[in-house]
C-alpha cells in the first residue's frame, strides 16, 4: 500500500507505467530497501541535490527526503551525513544536519542517493526536459560505494537520477526522452516514486513498519518545504521559488504525509 501511495502520479508526469512494470518483477522493492536501511544504519552517507537548468539552482525535491532519512537514521541510533550543494546546505541549516565534502565512501555502512543526477550513456547529465546539467554532480560516490561493496539505495522519480540505471530499459521505454536522459548509475536497492521526497518518506515509513516504531513521529512537511523555499531552492518543474515541489501544491504533499502516517497508525494498532 505504501508503494502505491508514493507512486500516485499527482503531477501527471507519466511515471505510472514505469512503476507498474518495475513492481511486477520487483514486488518487494520497498521492503527490500527498508531492510537494507535497518541492517546498515550505523553510518549513512545521504546524497541529494538536483540542479535545474538554466540557472543550475537546486530544487525542492530531494532535500526534504534526505532530511527525513537522516532523522530516521538518528532515531535508530546511527549517524547520518549529507553530501550536497552549498545552497542546499544553507536551506537545511536550521535543521542541524551534519554535512560533508569529499567524503571517503569506504567509511560508511550505507550510501543513499535522493534525487540527484546520474550520468547518462554519453557520460553527461540531463534534466527531464533533456537540457544538459552543467554543474558538478555527486554520483561518483555511488559508483565508489558499489566498487567497495558498500550497500547503496537510490530514490528517484524521472529516470535521470542516480540509482535509476537499475531500470534503464523501463526508463527508455516509457519516459519521454528516456533514451537520452536515462541514468546508467545503478544502486543495490531502488525506491521508485512519483516525487522523490515521497520515495524517501515511503522508505522511512516501511522501515518504521519493519522496526515496529515510527522513526519520524513529528514530521512537519509544510514547515520543511516553506523553509527551503524561502532559503532559495526552486520548484524543479515551474522553476519558481515557491513552496511547491515538482509543480504540485503543498496541500498535496502534506496530504501524502498525512496518509502515510494514517497507514502506519492503522498497521501498528494506533
Amino acid at each position: 500500500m505504501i508503494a502505491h501511495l508514493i507512486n500516485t502520479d499527482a503531477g501527471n508526469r507519466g511515471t505510472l507505467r514505469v512503476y507498474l512494470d518495475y513492481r511486477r518483477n520487483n514486488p518487494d522493492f520497498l521492503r527490500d530497501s527498508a531492510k537494507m536501511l535497518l541492517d546498515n544504519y550505523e553510518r549513512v552517507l545521504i546524497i541529494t541535490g538536483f540542479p535545474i537548468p538554466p540557472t543550475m539552482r537546486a530544487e525542492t525535491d530531494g532535500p526534504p527526503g534526505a532530511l527525513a532519512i537522516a532523522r530516521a537514521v538518528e532515531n535508530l541510533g546511527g549517524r547520518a551525513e549529507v553530501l550536497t550543494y552549498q545552497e542546499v546546505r544553507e536551506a537545511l541549516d536550521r535543521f542541524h544536519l551534519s554535512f560533508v565534502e569529499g567524503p571517503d565512501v569506504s567509511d560508511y555502512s550505507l550510501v543513499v542517493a535522493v534525487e540527484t543526477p546520474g550520468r547518462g550513456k554519453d557520460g553527461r547529465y540531463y534534466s527531464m526536459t533533456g537540457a544538459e546539467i552543467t554543474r558538478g554532480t555527486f554520483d561518483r560516490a555511488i559508483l565508489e560505494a558499489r566498487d567497495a561493496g558498500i550497500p547503496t539505495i537510490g530514490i528517484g522519480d524521472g529516470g535521470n537520477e542516480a540509482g535509476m540505471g537499475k531500470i534503464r530499459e523501463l526508463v527508455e521505454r516509457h519516459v519521454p526522452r528516456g533514451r537520452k536522459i536515462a541514468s546508467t548509475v545503478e544502486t543495490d536497492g531502488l525506491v521508485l516514486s512519483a516525487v522523490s521526497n515521497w520515495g524517501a518518506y515511503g522508505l522511512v515509513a516501511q522501515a518504521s513498519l519493519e522496526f515496529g516504531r515510527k522513526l519520524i513521529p513529528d514530521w512537519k512537511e509544510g514547515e520543511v518545504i516553506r523553509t527551503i523555499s524561502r532559503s532559495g531552492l526552486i520548484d524543479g518543474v515551474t522553476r519558481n521559488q515557491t513552496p511547491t515541489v515538482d509543480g504540485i501544491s503543498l496541500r498535496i504533499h502534506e496530504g501524502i504525509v498525512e496518509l502515510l502516517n494514517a497507514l502506519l497508525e492503522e498497521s501498528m494498532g494506533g
Side-chain angles (χ1 to χ4, degrees):
M1 184 63 181
I2 292 174
H4 289 335
L5 178 58
I6 63 176
N7 279 280
T8 302
D9 192 8
N12 296 314
R13 302 175 69 192
T15 58
L16 184 59
R17 290 178 299 174
V18 179
Y19 165 63
L20 291 176
D21 275 2
Y22 177 46
R23 189 177 184 277
R24 187 174 294 114
N25 295 318
N26 302 274
D28 295 322
F29 74 88
L30 188 58
R31 177 174 292 177
D32 291 344
S33 289
K35 289 181 177 178
M36 191 179 302
L37 173 62
L38 292 174
D39 288 342
N40 300 281
Y41 64 79
E42 291 83 3
R43 188 179 183 190
V44 181
L45 176 64
I46 306 171
I47 308 165
T48 195
F50 201 108
I52 302 299
T55 64
M56 301 303 156
R57 190 79 176 169
E59 65 169 311
T60 51
D61 193 20
L67 173 61
I69 294 172
R71 289 288 179 264
V73 168
E74 292 166 356
N75 282 333
L76 285 166
R79 178 181 176 185
E81 296 176 337
V82 179
L83 174 63
T84 190
Y85 298 106
Q86 182 60 35
E87 70 268 25
V88 177
R89 294 178 66 147
E90 293 171 357
L92 293 175
D93 182 64
R94 65 160 294 180
F95 299 104
H96 308 295
L97 291 174
S98 295
F99 297 98
V100 63
E101 295 182 20
D104 182 346
V105 174
S106 65
D107 290 338
Y108 295 89
S109 55
L110 176 68
V111 178
V112 183
V114 187
E115 185 70 16
T116 198
R119 65 196 64 180
K121 60 185 177 182
D122 63 358
R124 299 179 179 180
Y125 302 82
Y126 297 99
S127 71
M128 287 294 292
T129 64
E132 186 175 354
I133 295 168
T134 57
R135 188 178 183 183
T137 55
F138 305 114
D139 61 340
R140 66 185 182 280
I142 292 290
L143 301 176
E144 291 172 2
R146 287 178 61 81
D147 287 344
I150 297 166
T152 55
I153 298 173
I155 301 175
D157 57 23
N160 53 348
E161 303 93 353
M164 296 290 273
K166 190 176 182 72
I167 55 169
R168 178 180 164 192
E169 291 183 0
L170 296 182
V171 174
E172 292 182 344
R173 184 186 311 159
H174 295 305
V175 176
R177 293 172 288 274
R179 291 186 180 276
K180 178 179 182 179
I181 71 171
S183 169
T184 61
V185 179
E186 299 184 31
T187 46
D188 300 308
L190 175 65
V191 177
L192 187 62
S193 53
V195 176
S196 290
N197 286 340
W198 300 355
Y201 304 159
L203 175 63
V204 172
Q206 186 66 47
S208 296
L209 283 179
E210 303 295 330
F211 191 66
R213 173 170 60 84
K214 288 178 71 173
L215 297 176
I216 308 180
D218 56 352
W219 183 259
K220 296 179 175 60
E221 178 76 353
E223 177 184 337
V224 174
I225 300 300
R226 290 189 186 96
T227 296
I228 65 174
S229 173
R230 284 196 302 265
S231 299
L233 302 193
I234 63 174
D235 185 301
V237 171
T238 68
R239 302 176 186 172
N240 295 324
Q241 189 179 330
T242 55
T244 57
V245 182
D246 283 354
I248 302 170
S249 71
L250 182 56
R251 181 171 62 87
I252 299 297
H253 296 286
E254 290 177 319
I256 291 291
V257 171
E258 183 178 348
L259 283 171
L260 283 172
N261 278 322
L263 286 172
L264 285 180
E265 291 169 3
E266 182 76 14
S267 299
M268 294 179 176

